[in-house]
mmCIF file of all heavy atoms in Angstrom:
data_model
loop_
_atom_site.group_PDB
_atom_site.id
_atom_site.type_symbol
_atom_site.label_atom_id
_atom_site.label_comp_id
_atom_site.label_asym_id
_atom_site.label_seq_id
_atom_site.Cartn_x
_atom_site.Cartn_y
_atom_site.Cartn_z
ATOM 1 N N LEU A 1 55.620 10.194 51.205
ATOM 2 C CA LEU A 1 55.303 11.489 51.829
ATOM 3 C C LEU A 1 53.953 12.034 51.373
ATOM 4 O O LEU A 1 53.220 12.629 52.170
ATOM 5 C CB LEU A 1 56.425 12.488 51.552
ATOM 6 C CG LEU A 1 57.767 12.112 52.213
ATOM 7 C CD1 LEU A 1 58.910 12.933 51.630
ATOM 8 C CD2 LEU A 1 57.701 12.277 53.731
ATOM 9 N N SER A 2 53.607 11.813 50.099
ATOM 10 C CA SER A 2 52.290 12.286 49.645
ATOM 11 C C SER A 2 51.185 11.442 50.285
ATOM 12 O O SER A 2 50.120 11.976 50.655
ATOM 13 C CB SER A 2 52.180 12.281 48.114
ATOM 14 O OG SER A 2 52.283 10.968 47.615
ATOM 15 N N SER A 3 51.437 10.156 50.473
ATOM 16 C CA SER A 3 50.460 9.283 51.146
ATOM 17 C C SER A 3 50.257 9.725 52.592
ATOM 18 O O SER A 3 49.121 9.785 53.095
ATOM 19 C CB SER A 3 50.946 7.825 51.137
ATOM 20 O OG SER A 3 51.116 7.369 49.823
ATOM 21 N N LEU A 4 51.361 10.060 53.257
ATOM 22 C CA LEU A 4 51.286 10.521 54.647
ATOM 23 C C LEU A 4 50.484 11.825 54.741
ATOM 24 O O LEU A 4 49.610 11.966 55.608
ATOM 25 C CB LEU A 4 52.700 10.707 55.208
ATOM 26 C CG LEU A 4 52.806 11.373 56.591
ATOM 27 C CD1 LEU A 4 52.049 10.576 57.655
ATOM 28 C CD2 LEU A 4 54.283 11.527 56.987
ATOM 29 N N ALA A 5 50.768 12.760 53.837
ATOM 30 C CA ALA A 5 50.065 14.050 53.851
ATOM 31 C C ALA A 5 48.554 13.838 53.692
ATOM 32 O O ALA A 5 47.745 14.452 54.407
ATOM 33 C CB ALA A 5 50.594 14.950 52.742
ATOM 34 N N GLN A 6 48.179 12.946 52.784
ATOM 35 C CA GLN A 6 46.753 12.665 52.562
ATOM 36 C C GLN A 6 46.122 12.059 53.813
ATOM 37 O O GLN A 6 45.014 12.439 54.221
ATOM 38 C CB GLN A 6 46.571 11.714 51.377
ATOM 39 C CG GLN A 6 46.840 12.376 50.036
ATOM 40 C CD GLN A 6 46.925 11.360 48.898
ATOM 41 O OE1 GLN A 6 46.848 10.156 49.104
ATOM 42 N NE2 GLN A 6 47.093 11.865 47.680
ATOM 43 N N CYS A 7 46.840 11.127 54.440
ATOM 44 C CA CYS A 7 46.296 10.460 55.634
ATOM 45 C C CYS A 7 46.156 11.436 56.803
ATOM 46 O O CYS A 7 45.174 11.372 57.549
ATOM 47 C CB CYS A 7 47.173 9.283 56.034
ATOM 48 S SG CYS A 7 46.996 7.856 54.942
ATOM 49 N N LEU A 8 47.117 12.341 56.966
ATOM 50 C CA LEU A 8 47.017 13.327 58.043
ATOM 51 C C LEU A 8 45.835 14.269 57.804
ATOM 52 O O LEU A 8 45.143 14.671 58.749
ATOM 53 C CB LEU A 8 48.329 14.112 58.178
ATOM 54 C CG LEU A 8 49.528 13.319 58.703
ATOM 55 C CD1 LEU A 8 50.798 14.166 58.653
ATOM 56 C CD2 LEU A 8 49.292 12.796 60.119
ATOM 57 N N ASP A 9 45.586 14.593 56.523
ATOM 58 C CA ASP A 9 44.406 15.416 56.182
ATOM 59 C C ASP A 9 43.112 14.687 56.554
ATOM 60 O O ASP A 9 42.198 15.276 57.131
ATOM 61 C CB ASP A 9 44.386 15.745 54.680
ATOM 62 C CG ASP A 9 45.376 16.849 54.318
ATOM 63 O OD1 ASP A 9 45.882 17.523 55.243
ATOM 64 O OD2 ASP A 9 45.658 17.011 53.108
ATOM 65 N N VAL A 10 43.053 13.402 56.215
ATOM 66 C CA VAL A 10 41.856 12.610 56.531
ATOM 67 C C VAL A 10 41.668 12.529 58.051
ATOM 68 O O VAL A 10 40.555 12.698 58.565
ATOM 69 C CB VAL A 10 41.960 11.196 55.925
ATOM 70 C CG1 VAL A 10 40.814 10.308 56.414
ATOM 71 C CG2 VAL A 10 41.955 11.256 54.397
ATOM 72 N N LEU A 11 42.773 12.294 58.751
ATOM 73 C CA LEU A 11 42.712 12.232 60.218
ATOM 74 C C LEU A 11 42.090 13.502 60.785
ATOM 75 O O LEU A 11 41.171 13.446 61.617
ATOM 76 C CB LEU A 11 44.126 12.014 60.785
ATOM 77 C CG LEU A 11 44.315 12.243 62.291
ATOM 78 C CD1 LEU A 11 43.460 11.276 63.107
ATOM 79 C CD2 LEU A 11 45.782 12.099 62.685
ATOM 80 N N SER A 12 42.573 14.658 60.319
ATOM 81 C CA SER A 12 42.102 15.910 60.919
ATOM 82 C C SER A 12 40.657 16.234 60.534
ATOM 83 O O SER A 12 39.967 16.920 61.281
ATOM 84 C CB SER A 12 43.037 17.077 60.576
ATOM 85 O OG SER A 12 43.158 17.220 59.199
ATOM 86 N N THR A 13 40.178 15.710 59.412
ATOM 87 C CA THR A 13 38.771 15.953 59.063
ATOM 88 C C THR A 13 37.842 14.975 59.794
ATOM 89 O O THR A 13 36.702 15.317 60.102
ATOM 90 C CB THR A 13 38.520 15.840 57.543
ATOM 91 O OG1 THR A 13 38.964 14.560 57.086
ATOM 92 C CG2 THR A 13 39.230 16.925 56.777
ATOM 93 N N ARG A 14 38.353 13.773 60.089
ATOM 94 C CA ARG A 14 37.482 12.757 60.688
ATOM 95 C C ARG A 14 37.516 12.730 62.217
ATOM 96 O O ARG A 14 36.640 12.134 62.852
ATOM 97 C CB ARG A 14 37.870 11.369 60.159
ATOM 98 C CG ARG A 14 37.339 11.100 58.766
ATOM 99 C CD ARG A 14 37.724 9.749 58.222
ATOM 100 N NE ARG A 14 37.516 8.648 59.161
ATOM 101 C CZ ARG A 14 37.999 7.422 58.968
ATOM 102 N NH1 ARG A 14 38.701 7.152 57.885
ATOM 103 N NH2 ARG A 14 37.781 6.488 59.846
ATOM 104 N N PHE A 15 38.549 13.345 62.824
ATOM 105 C CA PHE A 15 38.752 13.143 64.264
ATOM 106 C C PHE A 15 39.395 14.379 64.873
ATOM 107 O O PHE A 15 40.379 14.890 64.344
ATOM 108 C CB PHE A 15 39.664 11.923 64.458
ATOM 109 C CG PHE A 15 39.819 11.448 65.876
ATOM 110 C CD1 PHE A 15 38.832 10.691 66.490
ATOM 111 C CD2 PHE A 15 40.971 11.744 66.601
ATOM 112 C CE1 PHE A 15 38.983 10.231 67.790
ATOM 113 C CE2 PHE A 15 41.140 11.298 67.903
ATOM 114 C CZ PHE A 15 40.137 10.534 68.502
ATOM 115 N N GLN A 16 38.846 14.861 65.971
ATOM 116 C CA GLN A 16 39.428 16.023 66.644
ATOM 117 C C GLN A 16 40.282 15.548 67.813
ATOM 118 O O GLN A 16 39.794 15.433 68.934
ATOM 119 C CB GLN A 16 38.313 16.970 67.126
ATOM 120 C CG GLN A 16 37.544 17.662 66.000
ATOM 121 C CD GLN A 16 38.457 18.345 64.988
ATOM 122 O OE1 GLN A 16 38.508 17.976 63.820
ATOM 123 N NE2 GLN A 16 39.216 19.335 65.450
ATOM 124 N N ALA A 17 41.538 15.277 67.552
ATOM 125 C CA ALA A 17 42.430 14.741 68.590
ATOM 126 C C ALA A 17 42.828 15.831 69.582
ATOM 127 O O ALA A 17 42.939 17.009 69.224
ATOM 128 C CB ALA A 17 43.681 14.156 67.950
ATOM 129 N N ASP A 18 43.040 15.413 70.815
ATOM 130 C CA ASP A 18 43.624 16.290 71.842
ATOM 131 C C ASP A 18 45.114 16.028 72.006
ATOM 132 O O ASP A 18 45.853 16.871 72.507
ATOM 133 C CB ASP A 18 42.931 16.067 73.190
ATOM 134 C CG ASP A 18 41.456 16.412 73.138
ATOM 135 O OD1 ASP A 18 41.140 17.548 72.741
ATOM 136 O OD2 ASP A 18 40.623 15.542 73.481
ATOM 137 N N CYS A 19 45.553 14.840 71.630
ATOM 138 C CA CYS A 19 46.991 14.528 71.658
ATOM 139 C C CYS A 19 47.280 13.340 70.749
ATOM 140 O O CYS A 19 46.363 12.633 70.311
ATOM 141 C CB CYS A 19 47.476 14.278 73.080
ATOM 142 S SG CYS A 19 46.635 12.954 73.912
ATOM 143 N N LEU A 20 48.569 13.169 70.441
ATOM 144 C CA LEU A 20 49.009 12.126 69.516
ATOM 145 C C LEU A 20 49.996 11.175 70.198
ATOM 146 O O LEU A 20 50.816 11.600 71.004
ATOM 147 C CB LEU A 20 49.727 12.747 68.307
ATOM 148 C CG LEU A 20 48.999 13.807 67.496
ATOM 149 C CD1 LEU A 20 49.899 14.309 66.372
ATOM 150 C CD2 LEU A 20 47.701 13.256 66.922
ATOM 151 N N ILE A 21 49.908 9.909 69.822
ATOM 152 C CA ILE A 21 50.962 8.940 70.121
ATOM 153 C C ILE A 21 51.536 8.549 68.764
ATOM 154 O O ILE A 21 50.803 8.109 67.868
ATOM 155 C CB ILE A 21 50.412 7.727 70.883
ATOM 156 C CG1 ILE A 21 49.910 8.162 72.270
ATOM 157 C CG2 ILE A 21 51.479 6.644 71.013
ATOM 158 C CD1 ILE A 21 49.209 7.072 73.067
ATOM 159 N N TYR A 22 52.837 8.752 68.595
ATOM 160 C CA TYR A 22 53.495 8.572 67.290
ATOM 161 C C TYR A 22 54.506 7.435 67.360
ATOM 162 O O TYR A 22 55.450 7.491 68.135
ATOM 163 C CB TYR A 22 54.173 9.889 66.898
ATOM 164 C CG TYR A 22 55.056 9.823 65.653
ATOM 165 C CD1 TYR A 22 54.720 9.011 64.573
ATOM 166 C CD2 TYR A 22 56.206 10.598 65.562
ATOM 167 C CE1 TYR A 22 55.527 8.963 63.447
ATOM 168 C CE2 TYR A 22 57.013 10.564 64.435
ATOM 169 C CZ TYR A 22 56.675 9.733 63.371
ATOM 170 O OH TYR A 22 57.475 9.688 62.253
ATOM 171 N N LEU A 23 54.290 6.407 66.540
ATOM 172 C CA LEU A 23 55.240 5.292 66.434
ATOM 173 C C LEU A 23 56.146 5.571 65.245
ATOM 174 O O LEU A 23 55.728 5.472 64.087
ATOM 175 C CB LEU A 23 54.501 3.961 66.230
ATOM 176 C CG LEU A 23 53.803 3.361 67.458
ATOM 177 C CD1 LEU A 23 52.559 4.163 67.816
ATOM 178 C CD2 LEU A 23 53.421 1.906 67.204
ATOM 179 N N ALA A 24 57.394 5.958 65.556
ATOM 180 C CA ALA A 24 58.321 6.417 64.515
ATOM 181 C C ALA A 24 59.260 5.281 64.096
ATOM 182 O O ALA A 24 60.469 5.363 64.275
ATOM 183 C CB ALA A 24 59.118 7.612 65.041
ATOM 184 N N GLY A 25 58.708 4.225 63.545
ATOM 185 C CA GLY A 25 59.540 3.091 63.121
ATOM 186 C C GLY A 25 60.639 3.516 62.160
ATOM 187 O O GLY A 25 60.413 4.353 61.285
ATOM 188 N N ALA A 26 61.832 2.934 62.329
ATOM 189 C CA ALA A 26 62.936 3.208 61.397
ATOM 190 C C ALA A 26 62.874 2.275 60.189
ATOM 191 O O ALA A 26 63.664 2.412 59.253
ATOM 192 C CB ALA A 26 64.275 3.047 62.122
ATOM 193 N N ASP A 27 61.939 1.336 60.202
ATOM 194 C CA ASP A 27 61.960 0.265 59.196
ATOM 195 C C ASP A 27 61.375 0.588 57.819
ATOM 196 O O ASP A 27 61.538 -0.217 56.902
ATOM 197 C CB ASP A 27 61.366 -1.043 59.760
ATOM 198 C CG ASP A 27 60.130 -0.841 60.608
ATOM 199 O OD1 ASP A 27 59.557 0.262 60.574
ATOM 200 O OD2 ASP A 27 59.740 -1.796 61.309
ATOM 201 N N PRO A 28 60.735 1.763 57.581
ATOM 202 C CA PRO A 28 60.466 2.107 56.178
ATOM 203 C C PRO A 28 61.742 2.491 55.408
ATOM 204 O O PRO A 28 61.714 2.604 54.180
ATOM 205 C CB PRO A 28 59.522 3.318 56.270
ATOM 206 C CG PRO A 28 58.907 3.234 57.631
ATOM 207 C CD PRO A 28 59.990 2.660 58.500
ATOM 208 N N HIS A 29 62.858 2.666 56.119
ATOM 209 C CA HIS A 29 64.110 3.090 55.490
ATOM 210 C C HIS A 29 64.604 2.059 54.473
ATOM 211 O O HIS A 29 64.464 0.850 54.675
ATOM 212 C CB HIS A 29 65.175 3.311 56.578
ATOM 213 C CG HIS A 29 66.465 3.845 56.060
ATOM 214 N ND1 HIS A 29 67.667 3.206 56.248
ATOM 215 C CD2 HIS A 29 66.751 4.957 55.321
ATOM 216 C CE1 HIS A 29 68.634 3.912 55.675
ATOM 217 N NE2 HIS A 29 68.099 4.972 55.103
ATOM 218 N N GLU A 30 65.206 2.547 53.408
ATOM 219 C CA GLU A 30 65.650 1.682 52.302
ATOM 220 C C GLU A 30 66.684 0.639 52.730
ATOM 221 O O GLU A 30 66.846 -0.390 52.068
ATOM 222 C CB GLU A 30 66.214 2.537 51.159
ATOM 223 C CG GLU A 30 67.393 3.402 51.566
ATOM 224 C CD GLU A 30 67.748 4.471 50.530
ATOM 225 O OE1 GLU A 30 67.145 4.449 49.443
ATOM 226 O OE2 GLU A 30 68.615 5.304 50.810
ATOM 227 N N ASP A 31 67.384 0.864 53.848
ATOM 228 C CA ASP A 31 68.432 -0.055 54.284
ATOM 229 C C ASP A 31 67.917 -1.130 55.239
ATOM 230 O O ASP A 31 68.692 -1.937 55.744
ATOM 231 C CB ASP A 31 69.559 0.758 54.959
ATOM 232 C CG ASP A 31 70.836 -0.052 55.112
ATOM 233 O OD1 ASP A 31 71.191 -0.763 54.156
ATOM 234 O OD2 ASP A 31 71.468 0.007 56.193
ATOM 235 N N ASP A 32 66.596 -1.130 55.503
ATOM 236 C CA ASP A 32 66.067 -2.090 56.481
ATOM 237 C C ASP A 32 65.951 -3.490 55.877
ATOM 238 O O ASP A 32 65.493 -3.647 54.744
ATOM 239 C CB ASP A 32 64.697 -1.610 56.973
ATOM 240 C CG ASP A 32 64.296 -2.293 58.264
ATOM 241 O OD1 ASP A 32 64.662 -1.797 59.347
ATOM 242 O OD2 ASP A 32 63.632 -3.348 58.178
ATOM 243 N N ARG A 33 66.341 -4.483 56.654
ATOM 244 C CA ARG A 33 66.309 -5.878 56.180
ATOM 245 C C ARG A 33 64.884 -6.385 55.983
ATOM 246 O O ARG A 33 64.631 -7.252 55.151
ATOM 247 C CB ARG A 33 66.986 -6.800 57.200
ATOM 248 C CG ARG A 33 68.495 -6.813 57.161
ATOM 249 C CD ARG A 33 69.054 -7.798 58.175
ATOM 250 N NE ARG A 33 68.741 -7.376 59.536
ATOM 251 C CZ ARG A 33 68.198 -8.162 60.467
ATOM 252 N NH1 ARG A 33 67.879 -9.406 60.187
ATOM 253 N NH2 ARG A 33 67.966 -7.703 61.675
ATOM 254 N N LEU A 34 63.948 -5.885 56.812
ATOM 255 C CA LEU A 34 62.583 -6.419 56.794
ATOM 256 C C LEU A 34 61.571 -5.461 56.167
ATOM 257 O O LEU A 34 60.408 -5.806 56.001
ATOM 258 C CB LEU A 34 62.134 -6.743 58.234
ATOM 259 C CG LEU A 34 63.048 -7.657 59.056
ATOM 260 C CD1 LEU A 34 62.462 -7.886 60.447
ATOM 261 C CD2 LEU A 34 63.270 -8.990 58.356
ATOM 262 N N GLY A 35 62.015 -4.262 55.792
ATOM 263 C CA GLY A 35 61.057 -3.206 55.449
ATOM 264 C C GLY A 35 60.452 -3.264 54.063
ATOM 265 O O GLY A 35 59.290 -2.948 53.875
ATOM 266 N N ARG A 36 61.260 -3.573 53.057
ATOM 267 C CA ARG A 36 60.812 -3.676 51.657
ATOM 268 C C ARG A 36 60.457 -2.353 50.997
ATOM 269 O O ARG A 36 60.065 -2.325 49.837
ATOM 270 C CB ARG A 36 59.593 -4.611 51.514
ATOM 271 C CG ARG A 36 59.833 -6.033 51.993
ATOM 272 C CD ARG A 36 58.662 -6.876 51.565
ATOM 273 N NE ARG A 36 58.695 -8.188 52.147
ATOM 274 C CZ ARG A 36 57.715 -9.070 52.036
ATOM 275 N NH1 ARG A 36 56.625 -8.757 51.357
ATOM 276 N NH2 ARG A 36 57.809 -10.247 52.584
ATOM 277 N N LEU A 37 60.530 -1.230 51.730
ATOM 278 C CA LEU A 37 60.260 0.072 51.121
ATOM 279 C C LEU A 37 61.581 0.735 50.755
ATOM 280 O O LEU A 37 62.648 0.240 51.102
ATOM 281 C CB LEU A 37 59.449 0.965 52.064
ATOM 282 C CG LEU A 37 58.114 0.401 52.557
ATOM 283 C CD1 LEU A 37 57.348 1.459 53.352
ATOM 284 C CD2 LEU A 37 57.251 -0.136 51.425
#
């Protein structure tokens, strides 16, 4: 979550988006077979 917050801050300083496309993968979850996170 702290990594995400930092990246969103960088995004907003480097790029003025008009809209977002968000890929909400379920695979960072601890129960994922392939995720490792």
Side-chain angles (χ1 to χ4, degrees):
L1 294 166
S2 64
S3 300
L4 172 59
Q6 288 169 356
C7 286
L8 291 174
D9 283 347
V10 172
L11 166 62
S12 57
T13 56
R14 282 179 47 192
F15 189 78
Q16 292 309 116
D18 298 305
C19 58
L20 305 179
I21 295 174
Y22 172 35
L23 285 72
D27 41 14
H29 184 237
E30 59 193 354
D31 195 42
D32 198 87
R33 280 182 295 130
L34 306 180
R36 301 190 189 173
L37 304 186

